[in-house]
Amino acid sequence: MSDSADGRAVVRIVETEAYVPGDAASHACRGKTPRNGIMFGRHGHAYVYFIYGSHFCLNVTSEPAGIGGGVLLRAAEPVSGIDLMRTRRPGSADRDLARGPGRLAAALGVDRAHDGTDLCAPGSLWLAAPLRPAPPPATSVRIGLTKEAHRPLRFFERGNRFVSGPASLNR
DNA sequence: AAGAAGATTCGCT
DNA sequence: GCGAATCTTCTTA
């Protein structure tokens, strides 16, 4: 969930991708740098980075302090604050408000200012308990990577129409 | 100091 | 389905 001066936006995460220690595709694979420093901090914090000159991606750090790792939030189902999300993503169909990592960050109003936020504490951006029970996530290879994409580290809710990626991966 | 690559999205054909 | 847009960051010279 995210709070801002414009209101609150709530989504249900339906797709994630993991970047584990020793992973050539991870931003952490070449050691700690100014950009990825948050990944080497404690788990449960936001790692936000700017990509392709126009988009932000939101990750949750996943490893103990000193070890670089994280989980990219790839897609989410809008739950409330939908009008606010439409404002942030003009021209987008409701299904596409948060379907994709850059879209998800935009819908929640996430930018560099959220880098390092503790997602388990009250604030402008945080994780809450599941809104409804869900079956165990399905698994697939990762999307959009040029290295180690074959690893089965993408997790998604099977059958949910807010999941991104080609249909062939979502079975 | 310069260059290439990148966990993407959108619009056009 | 394909390619441009756009800029930050790290790597290499």
Side-chain angles (χ1 to χ4, degrees):
Chain A
M1 329 193 13
S2 78
D3 270 342
S4 79
D6 301 321
R8 172 171 292 182
V10 180
V11 300
R12 185 171 163 272
I13 298 166
V14 297
E15 180 186 349
T16 64
E17 218 165 63
Y19 293 85
V20 299
D23 184 347
S26 171
H27 287 175
C29 74
R30 290 177 200 272
K32 191 172 177 177
T33 66
R35 174 173 69 156
N36 68 18
I38 297 298
M39 288 183 95
F40 290 84
R42 289 183 42 237
H43 60 275
H45 289 238
Y47 166 47
V48 180
Y49 65 90
F50 194 52
I51 187 96
Y52 293 124
S54 36
H55 307 287
F56 289 100
C57 288
L58 172 61
N59 304 249
V60 182
T61 61
S62 58
E63 305 296 326
I67 301 178
V71 175
L72 171 68
L73 305 187
R74 283 198 56 90
E77 171 181 337
V79 172
S80 67
I82 295 179
D83 282 342
L84 173 57
M85 291 188 253
R86 289 187 185 123
T87 302
R88 287 170 172 155
R89 294 196 25 77
S92 170
D94 283 2
R95 184 186 175 220
D96 295 335
L97 284 176
R99 189 170 62 96
R103 294 165 170 177
L104 185 156
L108 290 178
V110 169
D111 62 23
R112 224 182 307 274
H114 294 89
D115 195 34
T117 300
D118 183 349
L119 297 176
C120 301
S124 58
L125 182 67
W126 71 100
L127 291 167
L131 294 170
R132 63 170 184 259
T139 305
S140 85
V141 297
R142 297 186 287 188
I143 293 179
L145 305 195
T146 56
K147 299 171 188 163
E148 302 214 31
H150 63 279
R151 289 203 188 195
L153 292 175
R154 173 174 174 262
F155 305 94
F156 61 96
E157 182 176 43
R158 180 170 283 140
N160 187 298
R161 70 194 207 92
F162 295 96
V163 169
S164 77
S168 58
L169 284 185
N170 295 335
R171 293 194 276 262

